[in-house]
Amino acid sequence: MIPEFYMNMLKEQYSDSDIKKIIDGYSKKRKTTIRVNTLLSNNSEVLDIFNKLNIEYDHVPFYDNAFIIKNRNEIDLYELDLLKEGKIYMQSLSSMLPPIIMEPKEHEDILDMAAAPGGKTTEIAALTNNNSKITAVEFNKIRAEKLRYNIKKQGCSKVFVLEADSKKLDDFFKFDNILLDAPCSGSGTLDLNNDRTFKYFTEKLIKKSSETQFELLKKALTILKPGKTMIYSTCSILSIENEDVVSKVMKQFNCEIVPINVEGVELLPTKIEGTMVVCPNELYEGFYIAKIKKKEV
């Protein structure tokens, strides 16, 4: 049962038909998806093993190294040596989108501002062939250890884990590319099949998340080099955590939206043209992504 406060928020932002799609998406069992870790393996090796084990899969339109598993669940995949050896990584398709859209380059100084548990960090390392310097920030000590574990397991040799509050990073730091996958309410990941899904989902959490996101994005644009781009993303579909945050911060900086176009992804309407709100369904979590360029001074 969706809380009344949340239904009211959805009605303020979306049409009845969009709300129906969102609620239908919350009720779907999401398929298991994996990313091939190209630092330790390749599609040929992984798919050869899948075929021998009769693991059925579909390709992902926006990422050659990602696959949708058709006849196995996450628990089944835990037994695979491929997973134990770090050659594949279980990751939601929505979570794979921000590193793809940020287009990281080799030899860049890259910042991941909320990095744990490391899915996007290690994806960036793979996309840059271990040839970029990545600073992965995590404030929570336990989550930082999990981050270090995943980085080592996947052979990411040029990632430095910094235990710190990203909001308080020194303005002396400057980066060529930044990923801010901001802490959020998780409104895009709600599961109507789980009785506990709304236990911690509150108006207070949404408001607090929005305030934190605003401070994090301000810091990100402060330490992003002029002429460079960054990604702001959340696993929320609420404008208070997404477009409203982006619009508010952009008024304080000389920057612009870089339009995003990803094929094969079902989208919801967004207040800011060129940004994207992914609709929750059986393949994707609800997700927001904006690509922002800091203009030259």
Side-chain angles (χ1 to χ4, degrees), residues 20 92 160 188 204 207 218 227 254 263 265 267 269:
K20 184 180 184 305
S92 75
F160 170 69
K204 183 178 179 181
K207 185 176 184 296
K218 276 203 309 181
N254 184 24
E263 295 183 6
V265 181
L267 300 179

Side-chain angles (χ1 to χ4, degrees), residues 6-42:
Y6 183 49
M7 184 58 75
N8 289 336
M9 294 182 79
L10 290 177
K11 288 178 179 178
E12 289 177 5
Q13 185 175 341
Y14 294 108
S15 67
D16 289 345
S17 60
D18 286 329
I19 292 173
K20 184 180 184 305
K21 286 195 295 186
I22 292 166
I23 293 174
D24 286 347
Y26 287 160
S27 65
K28 296 284 177 61
K29 170 69 175 173
R30 198 162 292 115
K31 292 185 180 294
T32 299
T33 52
I34 65 101
R35 170 174 57 83
V36 176
N37 177 17
T38 53
L39 297 178
L40 298 179
S41 186
N42 54 64

Side-chain angles (χ1 to χ4, degrees), residues 48-67:
D48 183 55
I49 292 172
F50 280 1
N51 291 331
K52 288 178 181 177
L53 296 174
N54 295 315
I55 297 175
E56 299 175 6
Y57 54 86
D58 281 331
H59 294 263
V60 174
F62 65 84
Y63 196 178
D64 289 341
N65 301 118
F67 298 91

Side-chain angles (χ1 to χ4, degrees), residues 6 10 13-15 17-23 26 187-188 236-238 243 265-272 275-280 285-288:
Y6 183 49
L10 290 177
Q13 185 175 341
Y14 294 108
S15 67
S17 60
D18 286 329
I19 292 173
K20 184 180 184 305
K21 286 195 295 186
I22 292 166
I23 293 174
Y26 287 160
S187 67
S236 175
I237 58 171
L238 293 172
E243 299 102 313
V265 181
E266 184 179 11
L267 300 179
L268 295 166
T270 173
K271 293 181 183 178
I272 302 178
T275 68
M276 63 188 291
V277 184
V278 179
C279 183
E285 297 171 335
F287 220 83
Y288 178 76

